[in-house]
């Protein structure tokens, strides 16, 4: 989760189609509309990115590609829906790590098995950032940590929901900084950011893509970037690692998967066409404008990456003693 592994470098270089050729199961795919389920509310990066891909696929396929938001239970509602869908490639799941790599360690039980989803590709990733409300007095990571230590339990933070990447990133931040903050969970990035802008909460870790335009408009302040080095997108904002918490790193990635038992030939067809969309200069430009780095991995690379992510998130959840019913 917090370390950029070698598989990322390999995935970033994977811009060629898979060697496997579609078999008869994929020859006429798609013959009807395709639904991509996003298990979070509309408006956040998790929703915007698949909409961009869906538009390009729709033009390519000549069939409607519909984005359906099924939010709730930390992404579990949408994930369960896709897990139970027909394994024919006509219902897919586009999601950040929650339902794919986090929830199996966070919840006591799930109604679906995340490990049985069939990987298609990692769409993109973006570093998380620590943002504060415009009214927040501390103007640096060091000042924030100092205030939190002097006033334990006074500062609060928003998250996209219990067990989401923003929640886990803040838990890691608390542990490394030896501070304690009050957690206020929301149902997705958009409502959390709205309350951050309004000054109803003090702090939030969110992905750079969602927070950057609000930072530029002065609606919130980004105090630190959770990459090891500064990002060229915000050269004047220090990394959290250089602000007193060495090696602190957190990113959000966005994956596309199919229901269990989806034929490999259909997965290969979708993978090839999505990789082609990720090569589209206009889509790449739009991704980068959101401070999101396009990826494009093979199903095999995605499977390896998600296994590593599940192990890393499990370690953080255990250390923070998190659990949900």
């Amino acid at each position: 989760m917090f370390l950029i592994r070698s598989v990322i470098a390999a995935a970033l270089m994977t811009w060629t189609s898979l060697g496997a050729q579609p078999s008869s199961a994929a020859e006429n795919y798609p013959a009807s509309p395709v639904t991509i389920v996003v298990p979070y509310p509309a408006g956040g990066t998790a929703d915007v990115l698949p909409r961009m891909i869906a538009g390009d696929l729709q033009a390519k396929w000549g069939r409607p590609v519909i984005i359906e938001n099924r939010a709730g239970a930390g992404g579990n509602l949408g994930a369960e829906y896709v897990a139970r869908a027909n394994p024919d490639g006509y219902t897919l799941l586009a999601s950040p790590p929650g339902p794919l790599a986090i929830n199996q360690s966070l919840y006591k039980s799930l109604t679906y098995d995340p490990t049985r989803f069939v990987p298609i590709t990692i769409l993109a990733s973006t570093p998380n950032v620590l943002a504060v409300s415009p009214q927040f007095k501390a103007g640096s990571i060091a000042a924030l940590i100092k205030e939190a230590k002097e006033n334990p339990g006074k500062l609060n933070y928003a998250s996209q929901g219990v067990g989401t990447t923003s929640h886990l990133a803040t838990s890691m931040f608390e542990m490394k900084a030896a501070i304690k903050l009050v957690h206020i969970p929301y149902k997705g990035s958009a409502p959390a950011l709205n309350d951050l802008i309004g000054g109803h909460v003090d702090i939030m870790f969110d992905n750079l893509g969602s927070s950057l335009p609000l930072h530029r408009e002065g609606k919130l302040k980004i105090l630190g970037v959770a990459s090891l080095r500064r990002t060229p997108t915000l050269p004047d904002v220090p990394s959290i690692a250089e602000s007193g918490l060495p090696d602190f790193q957190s990113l959000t990635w966005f994956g596309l998967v199919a229901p269990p038992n989806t034929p490999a030939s259909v997965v290969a067809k979708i993978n090839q066409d999505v990789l082609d969309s990720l090569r589209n200069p206009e889509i790449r430009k739009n991704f980068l404008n959101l401070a999101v780095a396009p990826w494009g991995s093979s199903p095999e690379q995605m499977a390896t990456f998600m296994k590593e992510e599940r192990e890393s998130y499990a370690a953080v959840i255990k250390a923070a003693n998190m659990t949900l019913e």
Side-chain angles (χ1 to χ4, degrees):
M1 175 180 65
F2 297 108
L3 294 178
I4 300 181
R5 301 167 183 82
S6 59
V7 69
I8 297 180
L12 288 170
M13 297 301 293
T14 306
W15 296 102
T16 57
S17 63
L18 298 178
Q21 296 299 314
S23 68
S24 57
E27 285 179 358
N28 298 318
Y29 179 90
S32 59
V34 175
T35 297
I36 300 177
V37 174
V38 175
Y40 295 100
T45 305
D47 173 72
V48 174
L49 298 184
R51 287 185 187 276
M52 293 180 185
I53 296 297
D56 194 65
L57 291 176
Q58 181 166 293
K60 187 184 284 100
W61 289 342
R63 304 288 183 184
V65 180
I66 302 158
I67 297 296
E68 183 176 333
N69 298 91
R70 286 181 172 263
N76 288 333
L77 293 184
E80 179 188 1
Y81 177 82
V82 175
R84 296 176 183 272
N86 289 332
D88 52 14
Y90 289 91
T91 304
L92 308 174
L93 178 69
S95 178
L100 301 178
I102 296 174
N103 292 355
Q104 69 181 56
S105 297
L106 181 67
Y107 288 80
K108 289 185 177 180
S109 64
L110 294 176
T111 55
Y112 65 97
D113 182 354
T115 66
R116 296 192 64 227
F117 283 120
V118 180
I120 298 174
T121 191
I122 300 289
L123 298 173
S125 71
T126 183
N128 290 319
V129 296
L130 193 161
V132 298
S133 70
Q135 297 87 356
F136 195 72
K137 293 181 180 179
S140 68
I141 298 294
L144 186 159
I145 292 173
K146 181 174 183 293
E147 182 173 347
K149 287 184 174 180
E150 292 175 349
N151 302 279
K154 178 181 177 182
L155 300 182
N156 58 43
Y157 73 94
S159 78
Q160 303 147 348
V162 175
T164 57
T165 51
S166 59
H167 182 198
L168 294 175
T170 314
S171 294
M172 177 66 75
F173 181 76
E174 288 179 293
M175 288 188 283
K176 286 186 173 291
I179 59 175
K180 187 62 180 175
L181 307 170
V182 178
H183 182 205
I184 302 178
Y186 289 79
K187 293 182 179 180
S189 291
L193 287 170
N194 284 337
D195 272 8
L196 184 68
I197 292 169
H200 303 299
V201 288
D202 301 314
I203 301 162
M204 182 179 178
F205 270 94
D206 198 21
N207 66 75
L208 178 58
S210 294
S211 300
L212 182 60
L214 300 172
H215 172 81
R216 287 173 170 168
E217 293 168 10
K219 294 181 178 179
L220 54 75
K221 297 184 293 183
I222 295 176
L223 297 187
V225 180
S227 50
L228 294 181
R229 291 173 292 278
R230 300 189 185 203
T231 173
T233 308
L234 284 174
D236 296 331
V237 176
S239 69
I240 296 174
E242 72 178 271
S243 301
L245 299 181
D247 299 325
F248 185 91
Q249 186 171 222
S250 172
L251 62 84
T252 296
W253 50 268
F254 306 90
L256 183 67
V257 299
N261 302 316
T262 300
S265 59
V266 173
V267 170
K269 163 66 174 172
I270 300 170
N271 175 274
Q272 290 170 6
D273 290 340
V274 172
L275 291 188
D276 185 60
S277 294
L278 289 170
R279 296 186 195 99
N280 183 317
E282 189 65 23
I283 288 181
R284 290 179 62 79
K285 177 183 176 182
N286 290 337
F287 271 39
L288 293 172
N289 284 341
L290 292 173
V292 174
W295 278 31
S297 65
S298 71
E300 294 80 10
Q301 288 171 330
M302 183 179 183
T304 298
F305 177 71
M306 287 200 300
K307 181 177 183 294
E308 293 177 348
E309 287 288 278
R310 289 183 186 117
E311 292 170 354
S312 295
Y313 278 118
V316 174
I317 290 168
K318 182 178 180 180
N321 195 28
M322 294 183 194
T323 187
L324 288 175
E325 297 291 340

